[in-house]
Amino acid sequence: MTQNIRVRFAPSPTGFLHIGGARTALFNWLFVRHHGGKLILRVEDTDKARNTEEAAEAIYEGLRWLELNWDEGPQVGGDFGPYFQSERNEIYERYLKKLQDAGHIFEDAGALRFRSPREHVIVDDLVCGKIDFDLTNPGTHPDMTIRRPDGSWIFHFVNVIDDIEMKISHVIRGEDHLSNTPKHIELYRAFGATPPRFAHIPLILNHDGSKMSKRDEGARVAAYIEQGYAPEAVRNYLCLLGWSPKDNREKIEIDEVVKLFELEKINRRNAAFDLDKCFWLNGQYIAQMSLDRFTELARPFLKKAKIDISDDEYLRKVLAIVKEKIKLFRDVPEWTAYFFIEDYEFDPASVEKVFGKPEAATRLNALGQEFTKVDNWNAEILESTLKNLAQRLGCKTGDLVHPARVAVSGRSIGPSLYHMLEVMDKDRVLARMQRAGEKFSNLPKMSS
């Protein structure tokens, strides 16, 4: 392509960023990054009754979280602003006068309507192919309202004007807008402007074939942020909703998607949304993620839980051993809190199961005594020390492992015990084991 590639994502700030909107933004972003073009973010905020600043912020946050940076628009600026439709009224008035002077506008009950030229309009869509729309019948194609009696503008009118003014070369949007496109082309022609190329991408459907609505699970981008999905995993999953690398790969880095992405390769069929698959892909990303990236994504959740993570070296050691257990980053505080606080809670079921056994507290104290003798405090030596003690006491390894784990973490599950003890350091471990031994030594014993 030799022309200047300019595309736009134009959401309305009337609610949260929908996963379908995010997928549309992503496909626009992929297209311009592939061709070296520019992505414009335009906020279609003409619905004064429903628009909110919070909704606009949610759009910005969702796009930034997915790392879909825009080249022009709010918070960035550019040469074709304003980028809020509510600030572009003078431009719309100027274009309205142009249509009025050419005889394209008539009044009807206080509204202004565009007089259709009554013709066939062929939409040559980059995804859907050529479609012939018959607009000759007023019964099926009434003259379009462009301004309501209260003076507010209709979406179709301002949308086309903004695309002309912002020199949009390609309009990439959901297939639900395909039926609007011939109306838009009528307006382009009336303005004497060349229409952009259109690409209507398949809808996202639920398992039952219904269109994904705002109420469906997985619809809100904010929910993925709140639950602690890795943004690169969600972005990867969205790439696969209507597009694929054609080699059955599911995990594919974004740089490679940019290289491979072409509008003509978008699947014509509607895309089926599968939250389980997105969750699985998220797990793949976390498992293969560098510790640096894992730490970066875990930090906000630890801070929100008011956990002191000021010791970066210690934090990284902790995260390195729990990383394999994490499926969503919201779970990080639960898996790690006891590493950072001394007043951690003891799980009652774990305490009863472990310290309800005869000699559990006594064995824990014996293990503590053995650990005091360890000079080189590392996982390998701690493991051999515990196993040697179990042999001398004539008990199973688990009879020492389980009391030690509950004593130092309050839980019966967690990362490798020996690595956990190594990370916590000797003084902390010994103090916790002594405290637990005293706390649970008088616990009523279960009958064996």
Side-chain angles (χ1 to χ4, degrees):
M1 294 185 183
T2 56
Q3 68 185 113
N4 288 332
I5 303 295
R6 291 175 60 82
V7 303
R8 46 65 166 188
F9 176 56
S12 298
T14 56
F16 56 80
L17 179 60
H18 188 275
I19 201 75
R23 195 272 307 260
T24 298
L26 170 62
F27 279 21
N28 275 277
W29 183 89
L30 288 168
F31 179 67
V32 295
R33 295 298 170 256
H34 178 88
H35 290 289
K38 290 197 172 179
L39 171 62
I40 293 87
L41 176 62
R42 185 173 76 224
V43 180
E44 300 196 336
D45 60 342
T46 53
D47 189 343
K48 295 176 183 176
R50 297 175 60 216
N51 293 326
T52 67
E53 204 169 307
E54 293 77 15
E57 288 297 329
I59 291 167
Y60 308 148
E61 181 188 13
L63 294 177
R64 291 197 189 283
W65 182 76
L66 288 165
E67 298 179 12
L68 303 179
N69 55 308
W70 55 98
D71 304 294
E72 296 176 22
Q75 303 181 347
V76 174
D79 297 332
F80 297 87
Y83 293 96
F84 293 87
Q85 284 187 338
S86 58
E87 300 173 7
R88 298 175 62 81
N89 197 59
E90 289 182 15
I91 299 170
Y92 305 145
E93 294 281 6
R94 191 170 75 243
Y95 274 77
L96 172 61
K97 188 173 186 310
K98 190 174 182 179
L99 290 185
Q100 286 173 324
D101 291 347
H104 293 299
I105 302 297
F106 68 95
E107 189 175 340
D108 178 20
L112 296 181
R113 290 179 177 269
F114 172 75
R115 186 175 281 109
S116 172
R118 302 281 159 229
E119 59 190 359
H120 282 255
V121 174
I122 295 175
V123 177
D124 187 7
D125 194 273
L126 291 166
V127 175
C128 303
K130 284 189 178 182
I131 304 172
D132 185 340
F133 289 89
D134 182 357
L135 307 186
T136 59
N137 184 353
T140 56
H141 175 60
D143 291 317
M144 174 173 39
T145 299
I146 63 170
R147 194 172 203 172
R148 301 180 185 91
D150 65 4
S152 61
W153 303 103
I154 293 292
F155 153 78
H156 305 292
F157 181 67
V158 295
N159 184 273
V160 167
I161 293 168
D162 289 343
D163 285 347
I164 293 171
E165 283 281 305
M166 294 180 182
K167 302 188 185 305
I168 300 303
S169 65
H170 294 73
V171 170
I172 305 166
R173 58 190 178 189
E175 195 176 332
D176 49 340
H177 285 290
L178 181 58
S179 61
N180 296 327
T181 305
K183 302 175 192 175
H184 295 178
I185 290 176
E186 283 188 319
L187 285 171
Y188 280 105
R189 289 174 178 170
F191 288 129
T194 302
R197 295 301 309 274
F198 291 96
H200 288 88
I201 58 182
L203 299 179
I204 300 176
L205 304 182
N206 293 311
H207 282 298
D208 62 3
S210 62
K211 182 182 174 184
M212 195 175 187
S213 76
K214 293 182 176 181
R215 293 173 296 279
D216 291 320
E217 187 181 16
R220 289 189 316 125
V221 172
Y224 297 88
I225 302 175
E226 292 158 6
Q227 292 175 45
Y229 277 78
E232 48 266 53
V234 177
R235 188 178 58 201
N236 186 155
Y237 179 66
L238 291 178
C239 288
L240 302 176
L241 290 177
W243 176 90
S244 77
K246 304 299 183 191
D247 55 9
N248 294 323
R249 272 184 301 164
E250 293 183 317
K251 184 175 184 291
I252 177 168
E253 297 301 324
I254 195 66
D255 290 346
E256 189 173 356
V257 179
V258 168
K259 288 178 186 173
L260 296 173
F261 190 84
E262 292 282 3
L263 292 174
E264 293 80 1
K265 294 178 182 175
I266 291 175
N267 199 321
R268 182 70 183 86
R269 293 192 306 275
N270 289 324
F273 186 80
D274 185 346
L275 189 58
D276 289 339
K277 184 174 177 181
C278 184
F279 180 77
W280 171 83
L281 194 57
N282 187 67
Q284 297 297 303
Y285 267 88
I286 290 178
Q288 298 170 39
M289 189 176 283
S290 72
L291 183 58
D292 283 346
R293 179 62 172 159
F294 186 84
T295 305
E296 179 186 356
L297 294 176
R299 275 183 175 279
F301 292 90
L302 291 163
K303 287 179 180 176
K304 187 178 179 182
K306 295 182 166 53
I307 295 172
D308 181 2
I309 52 172
S310 54
D311 185 340
D312 190 62
E313 184 181 355
Y314 181 59
L315 171 64
R316 288 173 62 84
K317 287 179 180 177
V318 170
L319 294 180
I321 63 170
V322 302
K323 181 172 176 283
E324 64 180 23
K325 302 288 186 181
I326 302 301
K327 299 291 183 260
L328 295 169
F329 283 94
R330 71 174 181 191
D331 300 332
V332 171
E334 182 187 348
W335 282 95
T336 61
Y338 58 83
F339 281 95
F340 301 92
I341 56 175
E342 293 307 316
D343 60 341
Y344 51 91
E345 293 183 4
F346 285 88
D347 172 50
S350 299
V351 169
E352 183 181 355
K353 182 178 179 181
V354 172
F355 286 99
K357 292 182 178 178
E359 299 185 57
T362 304
R363 287 169 177 155
L364 177 66
N365 290 331
L367 181 61
Q369 292 298 320
E370 288 299 303
F371 280 170
T372 59
K373 304 171 189 175
V374 175
D375 292 324
N376 190 4
W377 191 262
N378 65 58
E380 192 175 326
I381 290 178
L382 293 172
E383 181 177 6
S384 63
T385 300
L386 183 146
K387 288 181 175 177
N388 288 338
L389 177 62
Q391 202 168 19
R392 291 208 308 275
L393 295 177
C395 65
K396 296 176 182 176
T397 302
D399 292 332
L400 294 173
V401 167
H402 299 311
R405 180 182 292 283
V406 174
V408 300
S409 70
R411 301 155 51 105
S412 58
I413 58 172
S416 153
L417 173 68
Y418 309 110
H419 291 95
M420 182 166 73
L421 300 178
E422 178 183 329
V423 168
M424 282 186 179
D425 78 47
K426 184 175 182 177
D427 291 343
R428 185 185 279 118
V429 167
L430 294 179
R432 290 185 178 195
M433 290 176 71
Q434 182 176 348
R435 202 160 59 235
E438 294 168 355
K439 184 180 179 74
F440 301 124
S441 59
N442 297 321
L443 199 71
K445 302 297 181 266
M446 295 184 295
S447 56
S448 55

